[in-house]
Amino acid sequence: MSPVSDELRALYQEVILDHYKRPRNFGELDPADSTAEGYNPLCGDQIKVFVRMDGEVVEAVQFEGAGCAISTASASLMTEAVKGKTRAEAEDLFKSFRDLVTGSEASEADLGKLEVLAGVRDYPIRIKCAVLAWHALHSALGSRDTISTE
Ligand code: FES
């Protein structure tokens, strides 16, 4: 990804704040096929993700829990991004998103709105916040119950 201009950075912050203040797909999903909790041992925050599948397609995904602005916004953006995707596509997004925020690989994938969180790569302690809900989603899709970002 090319360097982010100040203007773009401000826009990214606006999107993050909006999803923090008005999280999408927030609350318990009932019925759900699987749930999993992500736990950040650095701060004790937890996010629970609920998934309902229609065959191999993520029909609905919601989350609940209290976290910081980054973890809440990331969870909200995640639910929007994976809804309607197949299990495999959702897993691919998880990997691409993790690469984006850890900066471990130059991601060629177009992550759309998720790219607003790319800035966390400069703040290692915030990376765990950004991937918290994604780890829970990964567990829910694989039917494991609790996962720590450690
Ligand atoms: Fe706890 Fe971000 S500070 S998840």
Side-chain angles (χ1 to χ4, degrees):
M1 234 170 93
S2 52
V4 178
S5 70
D6 287 350
E7 206 175 308
L8 205 52
R9 204 180 290 272
L11 179 68
Y12 284 2
Q13 277 168 5
E14 220 171 276
V15 175
I16 291 169
L17 216 57
D18 177 47
H19 277 263
Y20 173 53
K21 288 186 181 159
R22 295 188 306 117
R24 321 303 197 262
N25 304 303
F26 186 80
E28 185 176 345
L29 177 67
D30 185 21
D33 293 316
S34 60
T35 68
E37 272 180 24
Y39 172 66
N40 184 346
L42 293 181
C43 60
D45 288 335
Q46 272 175 308
I47 282 184
K48 189 170 185 177
V49 171
F50 305 82
V51 176
R52 186 164 66 233
M53 302 296 291
D54 179 7
E56 276 301 294
V57 174
V58 179
E59 182 187 58
V61 51
Q62 293 190 192
F63 77 101
E64 64 178 17
C68 62
I70 298 288
S71 64
T72 304
S74 181
S76 174
L77 287 158
M78 180 271 286
T79 60
E80 286 193 329
V82 300
K83 201 168 166 183
K85 297 270 191 302
T86 64
R87 189 188 303 266
E89 287 168 344
E91 291 287 7
D92 280 349
L93 258 186
F94 165 56
K95 288 187 196 114
S96 299
F97 179 75
R98 198 181 46 195
D99 289 345
L100 174 78
V101 296
T102 58
S104 58
E105 277 172 43
S107 175
E108 295 299 318
D110 177 10
L111 291 174
K113 254 194 191 178
L114 297 174
E115 295 195 1
V116 300
L117 288 158
V120 304
R121 71 171 65 160
D122 297 330
Y123 307 92
I125 209 153
R126 304 308 253 158
I127 293 172
K128 284 188 191 303
C129 306
V131 295
L132 188 59
W134 284 91
H135 276 285
L137 173 77
H138 176 63
S139 303
L141 291 175
S143 297
R144 278 183 291 135
D145 288 336
T146 311
I147 187 123
S148 157
T149 56
E150 273 298 274

